[in-house]
Amino acid sequence: MKKILTVCAALTCVLGIISCKGKKDGLAGQEITLVMAEVNPEGTISAQMDQAFKEKVEELSGGKIKIDLQTGGILGDEESVMDLLRKPGNTIHLQRISAFNVAALGCEKSSLLVIPFTFANKDHFWKFATSEAAQSILNEPYEDGVGLKGLFYGEEGFRNFFATKKLSSPQDFNGIKLRITSDPIMKGIASGLKANAVSVGFADLYSALQTGIADAADQPLANYLANHFHNIAPYMVLDGHTLGVTEVVIASETWDKLSKEQRQILTEAGRYAGEVCRKVSQEAEDAAKAQLLAEGAVFTEVSDLTPWQTASADIIAESAKAAPELYQEILDLAK
């Protein structure tokens, strides 16, 4: 009942936007409330970034723009919220979303962000996040008529493989049951490692590892700890094959109604929230690793990524075809 009441309250808050539909000046000069969806609970890296965005928007606008932030998946999972966001007359306006899901909409530039071993380290990613290339990718779904406009980037840390037995090299993955998501990138990584890909929903992953349906999976350190995967699959190899890149997006319909000043406020608040994300992500990762070690997790460091990159060479080459010049521009930012 509590969740239902919360959702009803969130939907009530958008009446200011719905009532002004059709007015010549859109939302300019009005006090408005924008509903923002976050699938992760309070206290997580992404939720802290969202909270920083909310507070900065409300500060910069003098309270004229309020962000009704709904965390913990109250408004639905990423995919269902994304669908609602793109529909006319939407009652959800903003969402923190994985770059994987943006790419799944057919946004070719966005797909570059999930190619294995694109980002050499976090400094490389954050240098990219403030570049012209980054802005080009944020604008892509809006320009393509997908119904979304990217505002700013976040990240949840590098994803690493973990397993019920020690896996130290790409060769060790030959024949193991590797849980993957449905996106083609993960399928390509599994194929390159010669693993047996197993499709398991995230909610069922713990039991799948426990019962042997899956031998291995991948997660960022903080999520690995938060979901207690180390209790049943204590071996992690720190290969960092992909970075958990996220974007905060706004519905195109909502963006089109905002004034230039309102857009600038959201953009500036996004830059600030990105800086907060950079800080809390590293802190969360360092704290998670220390706690995992204390609780018996076994880490395998990777000093040479070459064999791992070689195993993913086919999916890297295939995925980079979407926009080869832009992809090279992203890679060059590591220099």
Side-chain angles (χ1 to χ4, degrees):
M1 177 63 73
K2 185 177 180 180
K3 282 191 175 183
I4 294 172
L5 291 174
T6 304
V7 173
C8 289
L11 297 181
T12 302
C13 286
V14 306
L15 289 177
I17 285 180
I18 296 172
S19 64
C20 75
K21 193 174 181 181
K23 289 187 178 181
K24 183 177 180 181
D25 295 328
L27 301 172
Q30 299 186 44
E31 291 188 8
I32 61 173
T33 296
L34 302 177
V35 176
M36 181 174 184
E38 170 57 64
V39 73
N40 290 317
E42 291 183 16
T44 56
I45 294 169
S46 290
Q48 288 185 68
M49 178 184 72
D50 298 341
Q51 182 65 27
F53 175 68
K54 165 187 166 67
E55 292 174 0
K56 184 58 72 171
V57 166
E58 293 174 356
E59 174 194 329
L60 293 174
S61 68
K64 289 187 176 181
I65 305 176
K66 291 183 172 59
I67 304 296
D68 180 15
L69 175 59
Q70 299 291 320
T71 60
I74 288 175
L75 299 179
D77 60 30
E78 281 197 15
E79 291 83 358
S80 60
V81 170
M82 183 172 65
D83 289 341
L84 289 172
L85 211 66
R86 299 163 60 211
K87 289 181 178 178
N90 50 57
T91 53
I92 304 173
H93 312 101
L94 294 152
Q95 178 186 20
R96 197 281 312 158
I97 193 170
S98 166
F100 277 109
N101 282 328
V102 181
L105 295 175
C107 297
E108 293 185 340
K109 293 179 182 178
S110 294
S111 69
L112 302 178
L113 304 181
V114 298
I115 295 176
F117 305 105
T118 293
F119 297 105
N121 48 48
K122 288 191 176 185
D123 286 343
H124 178 195
F125 169 74
W126 286 108
K127 185 178 180 182
F128 154 78
T130 56
S131 69
E132 290 185 8
Q135 193 58 52
S136 169
I137 295 173
L138 287 174
N139 289 336
E140 180 186 23
Y142 184 74
E143 293 170 350
D144 287 356
V146 170
L148 302 174
K149 165 75 173 70
L151 290 178
F152 63 96
Y153 290 102
E155 52 92 357
E156 298 177 306
F158 282 98
R159 299 178 74 92
N160 304 294
F161 291 114
F162 63 93
T164 54
K165 63 179 182 179
K166 190 172 183 178
L167 302 171
S168 303
S169 69
Q171 290 71 30
D172 293 338
F173 283 77
N174 193 341
I176 72 159
K177 290 171 284 186
L178 176 62
R179 180 263 180 179
I180 66 167
T181 52
S182 60
D183 66 88
I185 295 290
M186 279 307 300
K187 289 179 181 178
I189 292 174
S191 176
L193 292 169
K194 296 182 172 55
N196 293 324
V198 178
S199 180
V200 176
F202 188 76
D204 299 318
L205 180 54
Y206 192 97
S207 61
L209 291 162
Q210 198 170 34
T211 58
I213 293 174
D215 301 316
D218 76 326
Q219 282 293 301
L221 277 165
N223 288 356
Y224 176 57
L225 171 63
N227 290 280
H228 308 290
F229 289 130
H230 60 294
N231 292 336
I232 50 169
Y235 301 98
M236 175 174 273
V237 55
L238 300 174
D239 68 305
H241 47 277
T242 56
L243 182 64
V245 179
T246 65
E247 298 179 28
V248 168
V249 297
I250 186 169
S252 295
E253 181 182 66
T254 304
W255 181 255
D256 287 341
K257 293 176 182 177
L258 297 178
S259 68
K260 182 178 179 181
E261 180 184 2
Q262 289 168 329
R263 291 180 177 185
Q264 287 174 338
I265 287 171
L266 295 186
T267 301
E268 185 176 340
R271 284 194 292 266
Y272 169 78
E275 293 170 1
V276 171
C277 178
R278 182 176 188 173
K279 179 176 181 290
V280 300
S281 175
Q282 192 57 55
E283 289 175 349
E285 193 165 279
D286 292 343
K289 188 173 183 181
Q291 185 175 340
L292 286 163
L293 285 169
E295 295 182 9
V298 179
F299 293 105
T300 298
E301 299 284 348
V302 177
S303 58
D304 182 10
L305 284 174
T306 304
W308 299 88
Q309 293 167 328
T310 299
S312 295
D314 288 346
I315 190 61
I316 292 173
E318 182 62 31
S319 302
K321 289 179 181 178
E325 292 181 1
L326 180 59
Y327 187 61
Q328 189 60 52
E329 185 178 340
I330 295 171
L331 295 179
D332 290 342
L333 288 170
K335 299 174 181 177

